[in-house]
Amino acid sequence: GRKQRLKGADAFLGWLEGDGRTLADCTQAVVERWAATGPPGWSRVRPFIAWAHQQGLVGSLEFPTRPAGVSPSLIGTEERWAIARRLLHEADLDPVIRVAGLLVVLYAQPLARIARLRTDQIHTNDGHTELLIGASPIRIPSPLDEHIGELMQRHVARTVSEMTGDEPWLFPGAMAGRPIHANTLATRLVDAGVPSTAHRQAALAHLAASMPAAIVADLLGVSIRTAIRWAALTGRSWADYTAHR
């Protein structure tokens, strides 16, 4: 019925937001990924997609079907931590891949946001490196703080004429004054064995199971709706919010 279709549209829009996207970013690949990994009732979004196309909000999209028995799956804990250890410790790894990959694998950040991180979002406080993504800063542990410092040193080496404005990008693009494109970053991470979407979902599941949804939203910059959805998926409640806070 209409109520179920509205719920489907709300779930899809929340999923897009959690992935750092808007409806304008909805491509065929995005719809297919939703069909492959979306929650139960994922197909209820089909009428909304058709309506959005009629309104000129998205292009012509073919809504796929999911074979019977297929359900969302997450990367296992052992695989996730193996990737994290490799990104943290492997020698001669490009610091762009290292830092971007760890922000996905450990902090569930979408590439659209990672690509536009500014150097002024990184601070040193009482000898510790902090990264501001959401409302409150995240204290970055070693050796990730050293890898971020290596990226920061690249900016020190750049000449003033190469920097545009007062907020240079942590991941500069090929064009002066522009950040790296999220699609470029995605391709490089896949080539390095880090599929960003799957690892981000695994990180969100782990974090939602480890702390209350409000703290997840506060630190990671996701909406409270997205945080609550993942908390429900992992069986987490708000009961111990105050203690964690």
Side-chain angles (χ1 to χ4, degrees):
R2 180 180 299 179
K3 185 176 180 180
Q4 295 302 315
R5 292 195 295 270
L6 289 173
K7 285 185 176 180
D10 179 69
F12 180 67
L13 292 172
W15 178 81
L16 284 175
E17 179 186 5
D19 201 36
R21 300 175 183 272
T22 66
L23 189 59
D25 303 316
C26 188
T27 64
Q28 184 65 42
V30 171
V31 171
E32 289 177 359
R33 184 151 53 83
W34 166 261
T37 64
W42 62 275
S43 62
R44 289 197 296 260
V45 75
R46 189 192 304 265
F48 173 73
I49 294 293
W51 173 85
H53 174 58
Q54 292 172 357
Q55 301 300 312
L57 301 176
V58 299
S60 179
L61 302 173
E62 180 180 350
F63 203 87
T65 58
R66 181 191 294 174
V70 175
S71 60
S73 60
L74 295 174
I75 289 175
T77 301
E78 291 186 6
E79 180 183 353
R80 176 169 169 257
W81 287 118
I83 291 290
R85 284 192 295 270
R86 180 169 70 84
L87 290 170
L88 281 169
H89 303 296
E90 183 175 304
D92 301 322
L93 191 62
D94 184 342
V96 169
I97 296 301
R98 192 189 302 276
V99 174
L102 287 167
L103 290 176
V104 172
V105 173
L106 297 181
Y107 298 104
Q109 290 303 294
L111 292 185
R113 179 180 295 153
I114 292 173
R116 300 186 66 84
L117 283 174
R118 304 181 311 273
T119 56
D120 69 347
Q121 292 176 254
I122 298 168
H123 306 274
T124 300
N125 184 17
D126 196 23
H128 299 281
T129 298
E130 294 182 341
L131 173 62
L132 184 63
I133 298 173
S136 299
I138 299 172
R139 179 170 290 187
I140 302 297
S142 179
L144 176 54
D145 59 347
E146 299 168 11
H147 300 317
I148 291 178
E150 184 178 356
L151 275 184
M152 296 287 283
Q153 284 300 315
R154 289 187 173 189
H155 292 279
V156 174
R158 290 166 69 93
T159 66
V160 174
S161 63
E162 289 177 310
M163 300 176 102
T164 302
D166 298 326
E167 298 177 348
W169 306 107
L170 184 62
F171 299 95
M175 297 180 61
R178 299 293 300 273
I180 190 171
H181 197 284
N183 289 344
T184 301
L185 200 54
T187 299
R188 294 182 64 181
L189 284 174
V190 168
D191 290 343
V194 187
S196 59
T197 299
H199 278 284
R200 180 171 182 270
Q201 291 175 340
L204 269 174
H206 169 79
L207 292 167
S210 304
M211 63 184 76
I215 295 180
V216 173
D218 182 61
L219 293 176
L220 302 186
V222 300
S223 69
I224 190 66
R225 182 175 59 182
T226 296
I228 291 172
R229 183 181 301 114
W230 279 95
L233 178 66
T234 59
R236 189 79 194 187
S237 73
W238 285 65
D240 54 353
Y241 170 78
T242 303
H244 276 267
R245 192 62 175 170

